[in-house]
Structures are given as C-alpha cells and as structure tokens.
Amino acid sequence: MAPLALPLTPLRTSREQDTHPGCALRLPATASSVSTVRAAVRERLGAWGVSAAVCDDALLVVSELVTNVITHTVSDHLECRLSLRAELLRLEVEDEIRAHTLPAPRTPDPDEHCGRGLLLVGAVSSAWGVTDAPHGAGRIVWAELPSRAEERH
C-alpha cells in the first residue's frame, strides 16, 4: 500500500534570492516513503528546470536522508523540504524524534551492506549539516547542491 502523503506544497519564504517558492512533503516514516519522496522531488525539480545530472544527485541525497530517518529514529512522520536559489538547491529532511547520536559519516567495513549514506551525501553535496528542529524533539539534516551541473565538483 502506498504511504499517505500530503502533496508537495509551496512554502512561504523570506529569502528574496529564492528563484522558486520552496515546497514541502510530509510522509510517514516507512520504507515505502523513499520512493514517494523520490518521485515528488523528481517531478518538482523537473518543473523547476533543474538538469538531469543535478536531479540525479538530489535524488541520491534525499533517498539517503529519508532512509536515515526511517532507520535511525523512532519518528512516525518525516518532512522533506526543497528550495532553489539561482545557484543552490537545498534539501532538508526533518524527523520528529531525534536519534541519540548526531548523524555522522562513518567508514564501514568493505563487506558491510550499509553505512555509506552520509559519505555519499558529502561526496555529491557542496555542504551538509544537522540542526535541531525549531519546534519539538526533531532534527533537520540538510544538504546543498549546486543548482547547475557545471558547478558540481
């Protein structure tokens, strides 16, 4: 069964440099939400005219961040937010109940099947970080990517 999701809705923003209104998607913190959020992000980035290369990187990042919420927190829901400025795409994933430890990249053993998510996020993002949610007991993990493929590293 597909997760119940609120539509990707516009956010009001006070950042004058945003070239498109930000948007948000609230989903249950379940494995099936990963594909839902990927489809919604792909659709929104396409509507914004983001290149296929940047879109691919954004989909990798959002998949990893959503999967981390599902795997490492006891949240019932998560919220994914996107904003686009002339040169920068920002992705945020907020959980409801932060894990006991801060998200941090680690070096898994070569035979491990998981543990590389934040290494990948760091490799394709120009910056990423973690902040406590302004309301409640949640945490926001964010990543920023150049909005144009030629600016990627």
Side-chain angles (χ1 to χ4, degrees):
M1 176 196 286
L4 298 175
L6 297 177
L8 207 53
T9 55
L11 293 176
R12 293 181 182 258
T13 178
S14 61
R15 294 184 289 192
E16 295 175 8
Q17 68 271 26
D18 285 358
T19 55
H20 299 282
C23 56
L25 179 65
R26 183 175 164 84
L27 295 163
T30 60
S32 59
S33 292
V34 177
S35 62
T36 302
V37 92
R38 285 176 57 87
V41 168
R42 182 183 297 111
E43 181 179 324
R44 182 56 53 128
L45 295 182
W48 286 347
V50 173
S51 74
V54 173
C55 185
D56 287 346
D57 286 348
L59 292 174
L60 171 67
V61 168
V62 79
S63 295
E64 293 299 336
L65 297 184
V66 168
T67 299
N68 283 350
V69 169
I70 295 163
T71 305
H72 299 292
T73 75
V74 293
S75 300
D76 290 327
H77 290 86
L78 60 92
E79 186 167 315
C80 177
R81 292 184 289 272
L82 309 168
S83 62
L84 180 64
R85 292 184 245 164
E87 73 291 341
L88 195 66
L89 171 64
R90 184 175 174 100
L91 305 163
E92 297 179 355
V93 176
E94 181 175 341
D95 60 47
E96 291 179 306
I97 303 168
R98 67 183 71 110
H100 295 292
T101 59
L102 279 171
R106 63 185 194 92
T107 306
D109 291 329
D111 295 332
E112 285 186 76
H113 295 284
C114 58
R116 293 169 181 78
L118 290 176
L119 291 173
L120 293 170
V121 169
V124 300
S125 302
S126 54
W128 75 274
V130 182
T131 60
D132 288 342
H135 309 287
R139 186 172 279 146
I140 299 166
V141 181
W142 57 268
E144 295 176 337
L145 294 85
S147 62
R148 292 185 288 269
E150 62 272 9
E151 295 173 4
R152 294 167 52 202
H153 37 124

